[in-house]
Amino acid sequence: MIDKKVQSVAEAVSGIRDGATVMISGFGEAGSPIELIHALIDQGARELVVVNNNAGNGYVGLAALIGAGRVRKVICSYPRSSHSEVFPELYRAGRIELELVPQGTLAERIRAGGAGIPAFYTPTSAGTPLAEGKEVREFNGRQYVLEQALTGDVALVKAERADRFGNLVYNKTARNFAPIMCMAAKNTIVQVRHVVEAGDIDPEAVVTPGIFVDRVVHVPNPAQESKLVAEGVRYP
Amino acid sequence: MIDKKVQSVAEAVSGIRDGATVMISGFGEAGSPIELIHALIDQGARELVVVNNNAGNGYVGLAALIGAGRVRKVICSYPRSSHSEVFPELYRAGRIELELVPQGTLAERIRAGGAGIPAFYTPTSAGTPLAEGKEVREFNGRQYVLEQALTGDVALVKAERADRFGNLVYNKTARNFAPIMCMAAKNTIVQVRHVVEAGDIDPEAVVTPGIFVDRVVHVPNPAQESKLVAEGVRYP
Amino acid sequence: MSSKPAGKGLNREAMAWRAAQDIPDGAYVNLGIGIPEMVARFVPAGREVIYHSENGILGFGPPPEPGQEDPELINAGKKPITLQPGTSFFHHADSFAMIRGGHIDICILGAMQVAANGDLANWSTGEGGVPAVGGAMDLVAGVKQVFIITEHTTRQGEPKLLTRCTYPLTGAGVVSRVFTNYGVFDVADGRFVMREIASGIDVEAVRAATEGPLEISADLKVVEAPVPA
Amino acid sequence: MSSKPAGKGLNREAMAWRAAQDIPDGAYVNLGIGIPEMVARFVPAGREVIYHSENGILGFGPPPEPGQEDPELINAGKKPITLQPGTSFFHHADSFAMIRGGHIDICILGAMQVAANGDLANWSTGEGGVPAVGGAMDLVAGVKQVFIITEHTTRQGEPKLLTRCTYPLTGAGVVSRVFTNYGVFDVADGRFVMREIASGIDVEAVRAATEGPLEISADLKVVEAPVPA
């Protein structure tokens, strides 16, 4: 019988290797799989390339992973926020690499990676410094930039509910990058607030079909990043 | 107040021009907006380019539109079926044009059209006659074919439920091409079994957000194409 | 025409109010962070506007009452918002398909510099620091009409409406209208066309504060902002 | 080795049964129209297999009881299917993202011709008529393993396992295994490697009916099909 559930976040992140490309869901704190990220810190993989919209807040979650020196490079659209200290400091010191990608191009590159599309043209960034070094081509009189797919060795994702097949639904705007990251990674690891029986999720309302999911771990009361930041928590 | 509902299928298809590219949802009969197609026959637009997975069955729906001589060209993946007479006859007589597209490429071209992506590379059809005349390019040691976006002047779509904003949900495998056609057409016209109040569709379960929909018409008891075909019905 | 000292013109609320008047009933609108976010408060009664945010929500409502915030119900500015009848959620690729695919009618953004050819610079001064772009380049590339709300000059008094942007571009030839504290400007045919002027502001003062080519509409009107200026 | 006349070998059910044995527990599988569709009936007990169909469904069940058919619940062959716990629906672009993106483990298709270099021809004889391709080119381009079930020769007795396909290709270098009425063949390193032979079939008869380079495995086994042949 298919059952993608594992018993702990430690088991969920086992096997992630040094040098892996790790996609991490979330837009700011909404949808950030903070317990999986902390488990990855404990697990110890190094030289990671992280794909996320941002670069973490305070000293927990993604910021803690970066702060622990585990991340070689961040691919993101917006690495600044009012509570981001860790990434800016390392970046200014030349100790971490940044690939800055417009947010929609980032989303489309991830979606392309999941859909078997190696590259596509987009109008975004044409005529700007972010198109430098990239092929530009005209279609119907307008300039478009060639962008390449992004894939992950691993995705760490937060969802609301899962069944044993890995079918997922999300909560409100915590959905954001999660569904496309599930598609684009070889090994998709999901923390969920609720584990339900097969058949309990309406087949019309499944957002991520289980085919895109490898491991599911039950985290019934996930931490809220902004609260941890406000409390000055540091992980570990 | 926004209200995309119109009062009749005739009003729904009003304004469709000669020469328009018309995307029509459905996979065989499942999801085919048969009442809208019949209204389009009555409306009279000619020289249409139709995008559909197939080319109609019997002498109703899409087959009737083609049989009425309204269609200049069909863009599809599979124009044959056990009950398709109209298209094959016109095709053999050289009286209708066919652009044959692999089904996944067809879906992706439509999705690209809706997403503002003018072109993309795909492995599908590389090394086959359907790649002839197309740019082929290597990424990571594999051959990919450049495919262009498809957009529609109009989409005729069948859905299960809509609210006044045009938010849509579908029924089972009748969903198929409808959501991406809603995205790819300038004027998306939808027939629905049920019209519901705003707020009655779970925001987590909306499949097509209303931004992709222009007109909604209530067709509470849509005909079943296979029954009409079995009964030998011809439209008009 | 006498050249009296320029007043401050419209305040932030008045600029947001003026931009809101140009949003038609039924429009799909994306509002940037800062003054643009305030626009929603000033849309005229009777117009139903549907707001989109990059992080995957359409048709959301105003900020919640204090204490009712949901950290998983936010806009792209990471501020709390609310559900209302007709809201829908979707993932990031679908959200930017709406943007890039030309489905959003209007986006309203801030600017560091706007050029008379429609170029916009609003993400980087090009001077180092940590670069961050977010969804701005996607919005200006995809949304049908790009409106800008900005102070007419920098805090140092330097013009922001230029012949050519000197900062790195967000998009080339993308801006169609600019709302500043001095008035309303269309961007057309390589110049700024001033359509409306703030009460108490002198045309010559606007000329002096504008580096790019500026045409004054023969039909120049005064901005009628009911918001206390 | 004596060359006795070749029997017919496995019948359609036996071919489907044999292919079904090679589907592991937990696999995501897409079955083509015809004999491949029959494979689902023969998956060994205890293995849970998740079936995908191009028209936007994953995890569906067997055909319904007569009278229970739903015209809006069908597979890509337009035949009625059923829901079961864990089924999900999605649109066509997402469905082919599963295919093209390498998320389906195995697809099983029919063939007009298969070549020893893995080329497949199964959509057109190139001889006119109304061409139709469906999702075959997407499946062979994207699915991790492509299995073929086919009679070993055409009705006219012409070989279907060739050095090079003469019909228009569905995909180049895509087939990994072929199940015929004569046995089981891996496609590897530019040749067919016969792993198993149908009971009552002579190796020399297989050689005679195979145009492409054929190697007989040193470990050749007899297909153990419990299905009446």
Side-chain angles (χ1 to χ4, degrees), chain A residues 108 111 115-123 135 137 139-140 144 146 148 170-173 175 203-207, chain B residues 108 111 115-123 135 137 139-140 144 146 148 170-172 175 203-207:
Chain A
E108 191 67 10
R111 192 260 173 199
I117 302 295
F120 58 90
Y121 291 93
T122 175
E135 177 183 316
R137 184 161 172 168
F139 294 93
N140 303 314
Y144 294 87
L146 182 67
Q148 311 253 344
Y170 301 90
N171 183 43
K172 306 189 189 76
T173 54
R175 185 185 304 194
E204 302 282 6
V206 170
V207 176
Chain B
E108 191 67 11
R111 191 260 170 199
I117 301 296
F120 59 88
Y121 291 93
T122 175
E135 177 183 315
R137 184 162 173 169
F139 294 94
N140 303 316
Y144 294 86
L146 182 68
Q148 312 252 343
Y170 300 90
N171 183 43
K172 306 188 186 81
R175 183 184 306 194
E204 301 282 6
V206 170
V207 176

Side-chain angles (χ1 to χ4, degrees), chain C residues 56-192:
Chain C
I57 184 167
L58 188 70
F60 57 88
E65 297 296 316
Q68 299 299 308
E69 298 87 353
D70 177 345
E72 297 196 335
L73 182 56
I74 58 174
N75 65 16
K78 292 164 189 164
K79 300 224 177 76
I81 50 177
T82 48
L83 288 172
Q84 54 184 29
T87 301
S88 56
F89 297 108
F90 34 84
H91 63 55
H92 242 86
D94 281 350
S95 184
F96 279 84
M98 294 178 190
I99 292 171
R100 198 188 310 102
H103 305 283
I104 314 274
D105 296 307
I106 297 170
C107 75
I108 308 185
L109 300 172
M112 294 170 175
Q113 300 178 331
V114 185
N117 61 359
D119 289 0
L120 172 66
N122 76 348
W123 70 283
S124 167
T125 60
E127 284 183 359
V130 181
V133 66
M137 287 190 181
D138 307 282
L139 284 162
V140 301
V143 173
K144 286 178 198 156
Q145 289 190 83
V146 177
F147 290 174
I148 298 297
I149 302 183
T150 178
E151 298 290 333
H152 204 89
T153 58
T154 66
R155 286 179 198 169
Q156 291 73 38
E158 298 294 321
K160 299 179 82 168
L161 277 60
L162 308 175
T163 302
R164 288 288 177 275
C165 294
T166 60
Y167 291 158
L169 293 190
T170 307
V174 296
V175 175
S176 55
R177 190 167 293 173
V178 184
F179 302 90
T180 81
N181 50 315
Y182 285 173
V184 181
F185 305 79
D186 281 349
V187 181
D189 303 323
R191 69 211 195 295
F192 297 101

Side-chain angles (χ1 to χ4, degrees), chain D:
Chain D
M1 201 179 276
S2 73
S3 178
K4 63 180 177 181
K8 300 251 328 181
L10 307 180
N11 66 9
R12 292 159 52 94
E13 284 77 10
M15 284 191 272
W17 175 88
R18 179 59 194 84
Q21 309 314 302
D22 288 1
I23 300 179
D25 188 29
Y28 290 90
V29 175
N30 182 297
L31 300 177
I33 298 169
I35 307 180
E37 270 180 303
M38 295 165 51
V39 169
R41 288 156 44 190
F42 299 111
V43 170
R47 294 187 201 172
E48 189 171 35
V49 174
I50 301 184
Y51 296 102
H52 170 271
S53 197
E54 293 93 307
N55 55 320
I57 184 168
L58 188 70
F60 57 87
E65 297 297 315
Q68 298 300 307
E69 297 88 354
D70 178 345
E72 297 195 334
L73 182 55
I74 59 175
N75 65 17
K78 290 160 190 168
K79 301 225 177 76
I81 51 178
T82 48
L83 288 173
Q84 54 185 29
T87 301
S88 58
F89 298 108
F90 34 85
H91 63 56
H92 242 84
D94 281 348
S95 185
F96 280 84
M98 292 177 190
I99 291 172
R100 199 189 308 100
H103 304 283
I104 313 272
D105 296 306
I106 297 170
C107 75
I108 308 185
L109 301 172
M112 296 169 173
Q113 300 177 330
V114 185
N117 61 359
D119 288 0
L120 172 67
N122 76 348
W123 69 284
S124 166
T125 60
E127 285 183 359
V130 180
V133 65
M137 286 188 181
D138 307 283
L139 284 163
V140 302
V143 173
K144 286 180 201 157
Q145 289 190 83
V146 176
F147 291 175
I148 298 297
I149 302 183
T150 179
E151 299 290 333
H152 204 89
T153 59
T154 68
R155 285 180 199 166
Q156 292 73 37
E158 298 295 321
K160 299 179 82 168
L161 278 58
L162 307 176
T163 302
R164 287 288 177 275
C165 294
T166 60
Y167 291 158
L169 293 191
T170 307
V174 296
V175 175
S176 55
R177 190 167 293 174
V178 185
F179 302 90
T180 81
N181 50 316
Y182 286 172
V184 182
F185 305 78
D186 281 349
V187 181
D189 302 323
R191 69 212 195 293
F192 296 101
V193 180
M194 190 175 202
R195 300 286 181 198
E196 297 182 24
I197 189 164
S199 171
I201 297 297
D202 187 288
V203 165
E204 290 311 308
V206 178
R207 284 195 195 282
T210 306
E211 190 269 332
L214 176 66
E215 180 181 314
I216 310 300
S217 170
D219 187 30
L220 186 68
K221 296 190 171 75
V222 173
V223 178
E224 293 174 30
V227 179

Side-chain angles (χ1 to χ4, degrees), chain C residues 26-48:
Chain C
Y28 290 90
V29 175
N30 182 297
L31 299 177
I33 297 168
I35 308 181
E37 269 180 305
M38 294 164 51
V39 168
R41 287 155 45 188
F42 299 110
V43 171
R47 295 188 201 170
E48 189 171 36

